[in-house]
Amino acid sequence: TIGGGGPQAAWGAAAALAARKNDVLDQQPVTFIAPVGGRDWTKSQDDALQELLGHAVEKIVLLRRDDFYTPKIRLWHDQDETTHWMALNDSFGSKGADGLWSSISAMDVLNNLPTTTTTSTSTTTDSTGGDCVLHAIVEAGADAPGQQKDAILLQDERILERVSLLGVEPTAFIDEQSKKISKRDVNSFVSLVTNRIPSVDIISPDIHLYEGLLLQHHNHDETWLHTAHKKRDVVVRQGDQGSMLLLDNDDETLLVPPIVLKTKNGTPINPTGAGNAFAAAYTACRGTGSSRLEAAAIANAVGGVVCEYQHLPPFTKEVMQRIQEGAAHILHKLDKTTNTSSSSSGSGSGSDSS
């Protein structure tokens, strides 16, 4: 959605492809599709979105529904970079997210997908024969805005036939008192990806959701987390700590370090949207042939560069070079760690060779 990280995700996917291909002269083969409510969407917002993404992506598709409001939230971060939010106006409910998502059909998406294959979709997952890579941000909590209707389209067989790889960034917010994801929200997420969108190939939870899954994992012998990473990529977003890949062996992970920010004191100027950009960048890289390790390094660099700007970075050669340099530095650090560490790191590197 417009107010839920969609533009940042589209920018992240395009930036990852441009940096990976060393090509920033043309718009990248990315289509951004989002519903908007005609009750509050304006021409100036159209123009602002075009200014934000027009240089980066091939196509911006806004599915306008005049009877609804565009879901919008105000985000802010505390000193630990924990995300907090509040809804704006009538963003949620029957005239906001709940109704808006119900009004979108599979044909709205299919009619706007590219008609020809523009990228290689070599992946390590089971191919469905599709010619598009699809990435979506979905509300995963038990009382999610939109009642998880943003995931309905990901169950449609007509869409899945076009998709060679499906990546999902699940969102669930921490409880203000406990500073943790509730058990109820963890169970809601597991139900979502197990029962409603089992076709997902890549899942990128944040560290809070992962910790909730880990607690569930430790309390039971057989859980979703126990087998999930054997069937699909699970890459955990860790903010200023980088990211973490769940490897093929049980309970084995690989920490992928962040880039060093080129800001005053090395602190983020604005981390809003960095996780969205990271998740989509990872999906874009995996969908076009990158290994898990290369995809995580590029995605970390994309997310880090987003933090160096007040708003989304400009889509320029200089910014793409910054991403390339950041990813190369991350891979160099990991290579040094692999060469000097115990066999556990070696097995992690080997398991990523596919």
Side-chain angles (χ1 to χ4, degrees), residues 264-312:
K264 185 177 181 180
N265 300 324
T267 57
I269 292 176
N270 184 2
T272 302
N276 307 127
F278 164 89
Y282 184 90
T283 297
C285 287
R286 286 293 277 155
T288 51
S290 288
S291 68
R292 287 180 291 180
L293 190 55
E294 181 186 49
I298 293 174
N300 277 11
V302 168
V305 168
V306 169
C307 293
E308 295 178 339
Y309 291 81
Q310 183 61 44
H311 303 291
L312 276 179

Side-chain angles (χ1 to χ4, degrees), residues 168-188:
V168 165
E169 177 196 337
T171 61
F173 291 95
I174 62 171
D175 178 77
E176 291 294 332
Q177 299 298 322
S178 68
K179 303 299 182 183
K180 297 179 180 179
I181 300 290
S182 70
K183 181 179 179 180
R184 186 163 172 259
D185 282 346
V186 170
N187 290 336
S188 175

Side-chain angles (χ1 to χ4, degrees), residues 9-334:
W11 189 94
L17 293 177
R20 185 170 180 266
K21 298 186 300 180
N22 195 26
D23 171 23
V24 75
L25 297 179
D26 299 315
Q27 295 165 319
Q28 297 303 305
V30 174
T31 298
F32 173 53
I33 304 176
V36 296
R39 287 193 171 198
D40 60 350
W41 190 256
T42 65
K43 176 64 165 58
S44 63
Q45 290 172 314
D46 263 334
D47 295 340
L49 186 63
Q50 182 64 39
E51 179 66 23
L52 198 67
L53 293 179
H55 298 291
V57 305
E58 277 186 351
K59 195 174 181 182
I60 299 172
V61 178
L62 299 182
L63 304 174
R64 186 184 179 109
R65 298 294 186 267
D66 289 335
D67 292 336
F68 301 101
Y69 292 99
T70 304
K72 297 175 185 175
I73 60 176
R74 176 168 291 129
L75 288 174
W76 68 95
H77 300 81
D78 60 24
Q79 60 184 3
D80 297 322
E81 294 190 33
T82 298
T83 302
H84 302 271
W85 67 281
M86 62 175 289
L88 297 181
N89 302 323
D90 296 308
S91 286
F92 303 145
S94 61
K95 290 298 182 182
D98 292 359
L100 185 60
W101 276 111
S102 298
S103 73
I104 304 302
S105 71
M107 293 310 300
D108 289 321
V109 175
L110 289 167
N111 289 338
N112 288 291
L113 290 180
T115 55
T116 58
T117 302
T118 54
T119 61
S120 166
T121 54
S122 171
T123 72
T124 61
T125 59
D126 293 335
S127 175
T128 62
D131 59 1
C132 292
V133 175
L134 177 61
H135 179 80
I137 303 170
V138 297
E139 297 286 353
D143 298 311
Q147 303 176 4
Q148 294 188 349
K149 293 177 181 177
D150 50 1
I152 291 175
L153 297 178
L154 305 182
Q155 306 169 52
D156 193 284
E157 291 297 330
R158 293 166 295 178
I159 291 178
L160 294 178
E161 286 176 1
R162 289 292 311 275
V163 174
S164 63
L165 182 133
L166 172 60
V168 165
E169 177 196 337
T171 61
F173 291 95
I174 62 171
D175 178 77
E176 291 294 332
Q177 299 298 322
S178 68
K179 303 299 182 183
K180 297 179 180 179
I181 300 290
S182 70
K183 181 179 179 180
R184 186 163 172 259
D185 282 346
V186 170
N187 290 336
S188 175
F189 161 75
V190 172
S191 176
L192 176 70
V193 297
T194 302
N195 302 320
R196 300 185 65 183
I197 48 173
S199 300
V200 63
D201 300 299
I202 296 170
I203 301 175
S204 50
D206 68 6
I207 186 61
H208 301 294
L209 182 53
Y210 172 72
E211 287 174 346
L213 290 164
L214 202 60
L215 181 63
Q216 182 198 62
H217 179 51
H218 287 161
N219 290 339
H220 300 83
D221 291 333
E222 186 73 13
T223 66
W224 179 85
L225 192 60
H226 186 76
T227 57
H229 61 287
K230 297 178 182 179
K231 301 177 181 178
R232 54 179 67 87
D233 286 12
V234 179
V235 55
V236 181
R237 298 174 282 124
Q238 296 197 105
D240 62 0
Q241 299 301 306
S243 61
M244 178 170 58
L245 288 166
L246 274 61
L247 302 180
D248 294 338
N249 297 326
D250 287 349
D251 298 324
E252 188 175 4
T253 61
L254 176 65
L255 299 178
V256 183
I259 63 172
V260 178
L261 299 184
K262 293 183 177 180
T263 59
K264 185 177 181 180
N265 300 324
T267 57
I269 292 176
N270 184 2
T272 302
N276 307 127
F278 164 89
Y282 184 90
T283 297
C285 287
R286 286 293 277 155
T288 51
S290 288
S291 68
R292 287 180 291 180
L293 190 55
E294 181 186 49
I298 293 174
N300 277 11
V302 168
V305 168
V306 169
C307 293
E308 295 178 339
Y309 291 81
Q310 183 61 44
H311 303 291
L312 276 179
F315 204 77
T316 62
K317 182 177 181 180
E318 291 72 24
V319 170
M320 298 309 114
Q321 288 176 337
R322 168 80 178 112
I323 293 171
Q324 289 174 325
E325 292 167 0
H329 183 63
I330 290 170
L331 291 171
H332 178 69
K333 289 170 69 175
L334 286 171

